[in-house]
Amino acid sequence: MKQIILTGDRPTGNLHVGHYVGSLAERVKLQNSGKYDEIYIMIADAQALTDNAEHPERVRQNIMKVALDYLAVGIDPEKANIFIQSMVPQLTELTFYYMNLVTVSRVQRNPTVKAEIQMRNFEASIPVGFFCYPISQAADITAFNATAVPVGEDQEPMLEQCREIVHKFNTVYGETLTMPQIVLPSNNACMRLPGTDGKAKMSKSLGNCIYLADPEEVVREKIMSMYTDPDHIRVQDPGKLEGNTVFTYLDAFCQPEHFAEFLPDYQSLDELKAHYQRGGLGDVKVKKFLNNVMQSLLSPMRERRAQWEGRLPEVYEILKKGSEIAAETAQGTLDRVRHAMKIDYFTDNGLLK
Ligand code: TRP
């Protein structure tokens, strides 16, 4: 069986380092593993419109930004197809057919949908399109016969729901759709990276993100003012690691070789942590180390971004070509779906048979 990746992001803003450890890093790794026959990376503009219907410009202005984020982190357009969701109308048609296989109460039980409804104050007036986005996400995944879906932990309920739809479709209409597997980051700290303020999650509205596109100085400032242990006042005080954002980030980003390069007094993160807990290690020193770690990750991304920014017409072509290829693949699935559902009336004089 072909190994195929499909994943994507809503273009509602620049991508941040939470996206990177939560999912982008894994995609690049899988892309470069050579184990995948096809890779599709989707800019989910139609999904972004489900809660931005009155602000289409917000979605539009982020398409190129997200594309540049992808290219900056090392998504290789030679290996991966980057495309725009709404340019593949087959996805909408698949969604419409899958809607019949899902109950309203099942979508209401989806924890991610529940949380988003609360967050957006949609309780009394949920747009139908928004409500259906988990179903449209199942269309995204199945249209490309994806076997692997590398996403952040918050997308787990979507994958669960997609798998149910695949199972139901195949049971009712015969074996047609491919069952996808979720691919989560292996490191726990990467699952739900907190914002720089220590709040639960990085989010644009909270202003607590470090963006992949942030200049060096901005990243430094954000790190130097990061939330640590509020009771760690003097250097000699013992410090706490729980809820200490700087250490959570080190758990997510620090590699053993960073010590030799930036902090040779210590051998490992465990040793650094032990010293912090004992007392005698100041926040500034740890933050400076984290800054070096982050800059060493982000600076090659800045270089790649600058190169692509100088070639925007090429980026445009990548998206256009990628969307054409995606539409072809999705059409193949749609043909098989129509056949399975016995609505392929005009194929081979179907209606006459
Ligand atoms: N829901 C994802 C996000 O918010 C974007 C997305 C849409 C997606 N369709 C998908 C991710 C299919 C993986 C597979 O970022």
Side-chain angles (χ1 to χ4, degrees):
M1 193 168 75
K2 270 196 182 173
Q3 297 301 309
I4 300 172
I5 291 176
L6 175 288
T7 185
D9 303 272
R10 294 183 196 183
T12 49
N14 268 311
L15 300 180
H16 51 61
V17 296
H19 291 116
Y20 182 75
V21 283
S23 158
L24 297 169
E26 192 68 35
R27 295 180 201 177
V28 175
K29 205 166 91 192
L30 296 179
Q31 166 195 277
N32 295 335
S33 73
K35 288 193 191 137
Y36 290 88
D37 302 291
E38 292 168 34
I39 302 175
Y40 298 91
I41 314 273
M42 179 180 75
I43 302 179
D45 66 328
Q47 189 175 108
L49 284 168
T50 65
D51 62 344
N52 279 293
E54 280 147 49
H55 307 283
E57 73 288 351
R58 260 186 220 163
V59 175
R60 186 188 175 96
Q61 76 192 16
N62 284 306
I63 302 262
M64 285 302 253
K65 283 191 193 163
V66 171
L68 284 169
D69 282 328
Y70 286 161
L71 295 165
V73 299
I75 300 284
D76 176 354
E78 301 275 315
K79 295 182 183 146
N81 246 299
I82 307 175
F83 72 97
I84 304 175
Q85 186 180 29
S86 70
M87 295 291 100
V88 182
Q90 290 83 353
L91 300 175
T92 323
E93 190 175 335
L94 285 174
T95 305
F96 196 65
Y97 301 140
Y98 295 173
M99 281 164 134
N100 303 325
L101 304 176
V102 182
T103 63
V104 170
S105 64
R106 174 61 184 90
V107 180
Q108 273 167 338
R109 266 187 283 122
N110 182 315
T112 302
V113 173
K114 257 193 194 166
E116 284 178 316
I117 286 173
Q118 262 194 353
M119 209 168 74
R120 291 173 175 66
N121 293 319
F122 273 169
E123 278 98 343
S125 56
I126 308 170
V128 175
F130 173 82
F131 193 71
C132 294
Y133 95 74
I135 307 173
S136 108
Q137 199 155 331
D140 302 335
I141 294 168
T142 54
F144 300 95
N145 312 304
T147 51
V149 184
V151 279
E153 187 199 28
D154 61 322
Q155 297 296 306
E156 228 171 343
M158 300 301 156
L159 259 290
E160 205 41 58
Q161 187 137 34
C162 174
R163 290 169 57 87
E164 281 173 35
I165 292 171
V166 169
H167 181 75
K168 178 93 190 209
F169 190 103
N170 289 348
T171 307
V172 175
Y173 303 115
E175 212 48 51
T176 311
L177 303 176
T178 306
M179 189 63 84
Q181 305 286 341
I182 190 167
V183 182
L184 291 170
S186 40
N187 174 348
N188 237 340
C190 297
M191 291 280 199
R192 230 159 231 251
L193 195 73
T196 51
D197 56 358
K199 296 261 165 56
K201 211 181 154 182
M202 253 193 203
S203 107
K204 193 175 47 173
S205 50
L206 294 173
N208 61 1
C209 305
I210 296 176
Y211 293 101
L212 299 173
D214 278 345
E216 184 172 350
E217 196 39 42
V218 172
V219 172
R220 204 188 67 85
E221 276 163 24
K222 287 179 179 175
I223 290 174
M224 295 316 284
S225 58
M226 232 159 138
Y227 181 84
T228 59
D229 169 6
D231 300 325
H232 186 240
I233 297 166
R234 291 162 308 168
V235 173
Q236 62 268 34
D237 292 340
K240 264 202 316 289
L241 302 176
E242 304 78 53
N244 188 322
T245 319
V246 175
F247 279 96
T248 310
Y249 276 49
L250 284 174
D251 279 330
F253 293 97
C254 175
Q255 305 295 330
E257 59 271 19
H258 286 140
F259 285 94
E261 201 178 342
F262 304 124
L263 202 61
D265 296 351
Y266 299 84
Q267 303 282 319
S268 69
L269 193 50
D270 284 339
E271 204 184 309
L272 189 74
K273 284 178 178 172
H275 191 184
Y276 191 80
Q277 287 177 299
R278 250 191 344 263
L281 175 58
D283 281 349
V284 171
K285 187 163 176 181
V286 188
K287 284 178 171 175
K288 281 188 172 157
F289 176 53
L290 176 63
N291 180 53
N292 283 323
V293 168
M294 298 300 290
Q295 302 292 359
S296 73
L297 172 75
L298 295 172
S299 88
M301 292 184 196
R302 282 187 202 112
E303 277 165 38
R304 266 195 299 264
R305 178 187 306 275
Q307 283 170 8
W308 284 107
E309 273 171 347
R311 308 186 335 236
L312 288 182
E314 264 179 72
V315 180
Y316 172 90
E317 280 306 319
I318 287 169
L319 296 178
K320 186 156 173 269
K321 188 84 193 114
S323 300
E324 281 162 19
I325 293 172
E328 255 170 58
T329 312
Q331 186 60 48
T333 304
L334 187 56
D335 290 345
R336 283 186 292 113
V337 160
R338 282 176 152 273
H339 179 72
M341 293 178 69
K342 306 193 189 307
I343 54 173
D344 55 343
Y345 307 121
F346 299 135
T347 311
D348 302 327
N349 294 322
L351 199 51
L352 291 174
K353 284 176 203 151

